[in-house]
Amino acid sequence: MQGFAGFMWLLFMAMLVLAVVALVMAVTFREDAYRAADKQTKNFWLIILGIVVLVNLVVPMLFLQIAGLIATIVFFVDVRPALQQVTGGGRGRRGGSSSDGPYGPYNGGR
């Protein structure tokens, strides 16, 4: 594989990997986090990203793959950060314990 064909194969593989990673991330978040973040439901994103993975594997049509890439990018740039903010995941949380409240540690009224 050289030249343009090699480049296209590499591009298709990159789109497939991104779609699979987005699908795995969508599976890991809880259903209530999607509602709390005011995003579409978990099932919606699982169906959309599942179709994207299927299209990338089965139907090598660039138009459909680009539409799937757009859905994947939307998940990564809009939905995932909102879900992380709602669930407390990501870089914003540093340490702490299960008894920490929003304004610091809860000490039981001592």
Side-chain angles (χ1 to χ4, degrees), residues 19 22-24 26 44-54 68 71-72 75:
L23 181 62
V24 169
F44 172 85
W45 281 107
L46 292 179
I47 290 169
I48 293 296
L49 295 171
I51 290 172
V52 171
V53 169
L54 188 65
T72 303
F75 181 82

Side-chain angles (χ1 to χ4, degrees), residues 27-110:
V27 167
T28 60
F29 286 106
R30 298 184 327 253
E31 171 67 35
D32 60 333
Y34 287 85
R35 283 176 292 183
D38 199 27
K39 301 297 175 188
Q40 292 290 334
T41 64
K42 180 175 185 174
N43 287 336
F44 172 85
W45 281 107
L46 292 179
I47 290 169
I48 293 296
L49 295 171
I51 290 172
V52 171
V53 169
L54 188 65
V55 163
N56 281 317
L57 285 173
V58 178
V59 187
M61 292 180 62
L62 187 60
F63 173 73
L64 293 175
Q65 289 175 319
I66 289 175
L69 180 63
I70 291 170
T72 303
I73 290 171
V74 167
F75 181 82
F76 274 120
V77 198
D78 182 42
V79 178
R80 183 174 162 257
L83 293 173
Q84 284 181 328
Q85 184 177 13
V86 166
T87 59
R91 296 183 205 126
R93 184 174 181 153
R94 302 198 197 288
S97 71
S98 61
S99 65
D100 284 354
Y103 306 107
Y106 178 73
N107 61 8
R110 290 183 244 165

